[in-house]
Amino acid sequence: MISFYPWQLDAWSRIEGQSAVLAAPTGSGKTLVAYLWAGLLDREGQTRRPEERVIFTAPIKALSNERYLDLRGLGFEVGLETGDFKKNAGARVLCCTQEIYTLKYAGKPGIRLVVDEFHYIFTDSRRARTYVDGIRATSPNVPILVMSATFGNPEHVRSYLARVTGRSFALVENEERATELVFREKPLVRPGEVRDALVFVFSREGVKELAEQIAGVRRPLPREMLDRLEEMARIFGVAELPPPLYKGVGLYHGSLLPKEKLLVETAFRERILDVVVGTNALALGVNLPAETVVFAQLAWYHDDRPLSRNEFLQMAGRAGRKGHFDTGYVTWIADSPWENRNFLIDDLYRDLLFRTPEPARIDLAPAFGRLLREETTPSSEAETVAFGSLPERDYRDVYTEIRAALRSVDRWVKRLVPHHLRRRFRAVLGDIWFEEMEVGENLQMAWLFCEEGRPSSLAAATIVERYERNRLQALLKIKRFANALPEGYSFARMGELEAEVERIDETVFTFEECLQEISESRSETPLPRPELLREKTRSASGKRKGRGAPGRPDGAGSDATPEASVGGGTSPSPEEPRGDAKKGKDSPKGKKKKGKSGEVPQGAFYSPSRSPKRRPRSRRRSGGR
């Protein structure tokens, strides 16, 4: 039986049967309020069959997977649909991405809709359009619950949703966390001091280097923990483990395969890993209970600005979790070499502690597919975008931007397509336009369909791969694209594409079975809590250095005290690149891989003119990264 905090029952009594906005900190228990509201739990904490179908949406597949598993654990019949994976989609309770809801379920009667992590749309205009279109298209008789930990000003979001949907929304705010959150006044001086923590740094290269530094001053994990880690890796199909994992330090960023993320998440929850170094992907709600959040960086590389107060609180809020750590701590690494060199992390941290949360901002992207198919006009679309933005935008500015973007597409068509094929090409481009893709991808997909009629899905994935972090992401994007194609369009060799997905990462389709095997294989005997730090001087006991397990770094899993070395034991060899051989989108120096010169446009071709201005820089520091 589930028990509730008083605020949860009070919140439910205030929003029962209504559309509502629920604002509550990370870890405060807002999910249970959603279960009460949806009719999945009664006030005694007993599960019950909902009177209507319940749909939970999330911004990313990992969160839909997690909600699915949580509800399955409570005994519900649950379906899952994420665009590249579908299981039991007709179930009474469905977990899906917002794109799936907007495409397939918006407008259907007899459901209750829960929209989680709504703050995700504040920085992504393309995803914002999907969210807003889906919420606006929801049947008037279908109640909607919108949830987030960081709305900025929740009343602004409530009034915005009321304005764009024409329905009333109740508002419930809870500012009390289930655990205390303490912001440290003094930083960590050395990365090796990090314990039981999530550590944020905003580049793949930075994640790797910082994880190596933390691991470099640690002992290898005890043999029992290493055996368990390698058992998990075998179940998930991870053939090679990064060396920091053997010392209890995980890595987490957008370029990892799903099976690699699952390994880190599961090993962290079992406390085999006690530290995870990652990008802001760690802040997206994945269940990783940590005592401390450590910032090694507080300013973005990609747009050269500090974190907003809301972004800072979203990440800091990951510290502390009821039942694990009753007090959460937030701190930073002093004079961090991973900070954006235009800022000083010490100044940024202290400034963010006292800054006022920014109001929510929603910028919608135009529906270019509908514009190209002439289902709407630039003037009508400008009205939709201007009215649907928060704060509401000037119609004339939006109209000018849309016309400029359409002219840009037209220029590329004239540049790339022979004159006698342009009419056909424009028709195909409008038909197959996929909002998830950039303009260059859409142009190349249209050319494939014009040239081949029914092109190879694998050839399409090869084209898309230059826009993605790895091959798997390209394959899955084509799978989602194929599912969204209108009648009359399809890819050949989809079976081969799915086989390649399975070969690269079987957990895309079997994550539930893998997690079940992990659970069943877990010993009831607690694993030993390791002595993590190396001794400063080697014991004079004359103990013989042990031999590591197969595939482990030398000495891992042995009882020997490893030799301490300056800088740690997992630095790359001189022959290896210092960072990633292929830098990702989240690297400070990384850029998207380009095609041939002049082939297709790269990057976004539509950008709202009111994107956030850069804040004044702190004093420039010499040196640094």
Side-chain angles (χ1 to χ4, degrees):
M1 184 184 298
I2 294 171
S3 59
F4 302 105
Y5 296 115
W7 86 265
Q8 293 170 321
L9 293 173
D10 177 65
W12 173 48
S13 68
R14 292 163 58 189
I15 64 175
E16 186 178 5
Q18 305 178 64
S19 292
V21 172
L22 176 59
T26 299
S28 61
K30 58 183 175 294
T31 296
L32 291 184
V33 179
Y35 290 175
L36 286 163
W37 177 88
L40 300 175
L41 296 175
D42 62 25
R43 67 181 306 111
E44 283 73 41
Q46 299 281 3
T47 59
R48 51 181 290 194
R49 188 177 190 273
E51 297 177 359
E52 300 172 296
R53 192 178 198 199
V54 180
I55 297 181
F56 291 87
T57 75
I60 60 173
K61 176 180 176 179
L63 295 181
S64 288
N65 292 352
E66 202 166 83
R67 176 69 56 236
Y68 165 83
L69 292 171
D70 184 50
L71 289 163
R72 287 268 292 165
L74 291 174
F76 292 103
E77 180 196 6
V78 191
L80 178 65
E81 191 168 2
T82 60
D84 48 41
F85 180 79
K86 181 165 66 173
K87 182 175 183 178
N88 197 22
R92 189 75 168 176
V93 181
L94 177 67
C95 302
C96 64
T97 54
Q98 186 67 32
E99 282 78 5
I100 289 295
Y101 174 78
T102 300
L103 182 68
K104 296 182 64 174
Y105 300 107
K108 292 189 175 182
I111 63 176
R112 286 176 174 253
L113 174 65
V114 179
V115 180
D116 201 3
E117 304 287 345
F118 187 74
H119 65 272
Y120 190 83
I121 76 170
F122 297 163
T123 56
D124 189 332
S125 61
R126 285 193 292 186
R127 301 295 298 278
R129 182 60 186 265
T130 300
Y131 269 73
V132 173
D133 282 354
I135 291 172
R136 291 179 67 179
T138 298
S139 171
N141 297 323
V142 169
I144 305 170
L145 179 61
V146 176
M147 303 194 300
S148 177
T150 47
F151 277 118
N153 185 329
E155 171 56 31
H156 287 176
V157 175
R158 187 210 62 77
S159 61
Y160 164 79
L161 289 171
R163 174 168 63 82
V164 298
T165 63
R167 67 167 78 197
S168 61
F169 281 80
L171 172 62
V172 172
E173 294 183 72
N174 172 53
E175 297 181 356
E176 295 182 11
R177 287 172 48 96
T179 58
E180 185 182 2
L181 189 62
V182 176
F183 291 87
R184 299 282 198 191
E185 295 182 0
K186 293 184 179 180
L188 296 176
V189 178
R190 293 178 296 275
E193 298 173 330
V194 175
R195 297 286 177 272
D196 288 313
L198 303 179
V199 186
F200 286 99
V201 59
F202 306 136
S203 73
R204 184 173 60 179
E205 182 180 358
V207 167
K208 178 175 179 289
E209 290 181 354
L210 181 49
E212 288 173 349
Q213 279 210 17
I214 295 171
V217 295
R218 290 178 159 216
R219 299 171 181 269
L221 295 171
R223 184 176 300 278
E224 296 92 332
M225 299 182 83
L226 288 171
D227 289 343
R228 178 61 172 160
L229 180 64
E230 290 177 344
E231 180 182 33
M232 289 178 170
R234 176 189 60 77
I235 292 171
F236 286 128
V238 178
E240 185 175 351
L241 300 181
L245 269 70
Y246 289 103
K247 297 186 178 182
V249 182
L251 295 78
Y252 202 95
H253 52 74
S255 296
L256 294 180
L257 297 175
K259 62 184 178 184
E260 295 167 332
K261 291 181 179 178
L262 281 170
L263 174 62
V264 171
E265 292 164 12
T266 308
F268 188 76
R269 285 194 283 265
E270 287 197 17
R271 312 319 289 177
I272 293 171
L273 308 178
D274 77 299
V275 171
V276 176
V277 183
T279 62
N280 57 311
L282 285 174
L284 287 175
V286 177
N287 181 25
L288 294 173
E291 182 177 31
T292 303
V293 161
V294 179
F295 288 96
Q297 187 176 348
L298 284 167
W300 301 106
Y301 287 122
H302 59 82
D303 55 2
D304 201 26
R305 67 168 177 85
L307 296 184
S308 69
R309 167 75 171 175
N310 292 336
E311 290 167 335
F312 175 70
L313 291 177
Q314 181 69 26
M315 298 178 200
R318 310 304 300 171
R321 182 64 60 88
K322 192 69 175 176
H324 296 275
F325 305 102
D326 288 341
T327 301
Y329 299 94
V330 182
T331 188
W332 77 103
I333 295 175
D335 199 30
S336 171
W338 295 278
E339 184 56 272
N340 182 322
R341 65 182 179 181
N342 295 322
F343 300 89
L344 296 177
I345 191 169
D346 305 65
D347 293 348
L348 291 179
Y349 180 84
R350 295 184 179 96
D351 176 58
L352 284 164
L353 288 182
F354 302 104
R355 189 184 299 168
T356 303
E358 301 82 3
R361 181 179 292 275
I362 298 173
D363 287 310
L364 301 190
F368 285 104
R370 297 191 65 223
L371 285 163
L372 293 169
R373 293 189 296 271
E374 298 183 350
E375 295 173 357
T376 186
T377 64
S379 60
S380 176
E381 188 63 14
E383 289 177 359
T384 299
V385 170
F387 179 73
S389 296
L390 176 67
E392 190 170 349
R393 296 190 58 198
D394 184 88
Y395 161 82
R396 292 165 297 182
D397 290 343
V398 178
Y399 179 79
T400 300
E401 292 165 4
I402 290 174
R403 295 294 301 178
L406 290 173
R407 286 194 296 270
S408 174
V409 172
D410 194 54
R411 284 195 298 270
W412 278 107
V413 171
K414 290 178 179 177
R415 180 175 178 180
L416 298 171
V417 183
H419 185 273
H420 66 286
L421 294 177
R422 287 176 190 165
R423 178 174 293 182
R424 163 70 176 153
F425 181 88
R426 286 192 178 95
V428 171
L429 181 63
D431 288 343
I432 61 98
W433 186 275
F434 190 39
E435 299 295 348
E436 188 179 329
M437 290 182 175
E438 296 178 3
V439 60
E441 295 171 279
N442 277 297
L443 289 168
Q444 290 178 93
M445 293 302 104
W447 181 254
L448 268 184
F449 278 103
C450 281
E451 193 173 46
E452 301 181 25
R454 190 166 181 260
S456 162
S457 60
L458 297 177
T462 299
I463 291 171
V464 167
E465 190 173 356
R466 73 186 63 181
Y467 298 85
E468 298 299 322
R469 292 185 174 102
N470 54 49
R471 174 70 173 175
L472 179 65
Q473 291 184 1
L475 293 166
L476 293 177
K477 179 182 274 190
I478 293 300
K479 194 170 188 298
R480 295 191 297 274
F481 179 39
N483 290 335
L485 286 171
E487 187 176 353
Y489 294 89
S490 64
F491 282 112
R493 302 176 67 184
M494 284 299 296
E496 293 177 50
L497 183 144
E498 295 207 6
E500 186 174 349
V501 169
E502 190 169 359
R503 179 183 60 77
I504 295 172
D505 191 343
E506 193 175 1
T507 67
V508 170
F509 306 117
T510 64
F511 73 93
E512 186 177 7
E513 292 82 356
C514 290
L515 289 170
Q516 181 65 29
E517 185 176 351
I518 291 283
S519 177
E520 292 173 354
S521 65
R522 184 176 184 179
S523 171
E524 294 185 5
T525 304
L527 292 172
R529 180 68 175 172
E531 290 295 330
L532 295 171
L533 282 180
R534 294 178 172 180
E535 294 179 359
K536 292 184 179 179
T537 58
R538 181 156 185 188
S539 170
S541 64
K543 211 177 257 188
R544 181 169 57 90
K545 185 175 181 181
R547 183 168 30 171
R552 300 174 182 171
D554 190 32
S558 71
D559 294 327
T561 302
E563 293 282 350
S565 61
V566 176
T570 57
S571 297
S573 67
E575 293 76 26
E576 293 173 333
R578 184 67 187 167
D580 297 304
K582 178 181 175 182
K583 296 186 186 296
K585 294 179 185 176
D586 51 6
S587 169
K589 300 176 184 176
K591 295 181 179 179
K592 292 178 182 174
K593 185 177 176 183
K594 295 183 178 180
K596 296 178 182 178
S597 177
E599 190 176 72
V600 290
Q602 300 275 340
F605 73 114
Y606 174 84
S607 179
S609 61
R610 70 170 190 195
S611 30
K613 296 180 180 179
R614 272 174 37 183
R615 300 183 182 278
R617 295 181 178 179
S618 303
R619 61 187 183 276
R620 183 178 292 271
R621 179 178 63 190
S622 60
R625 292 178 60 79

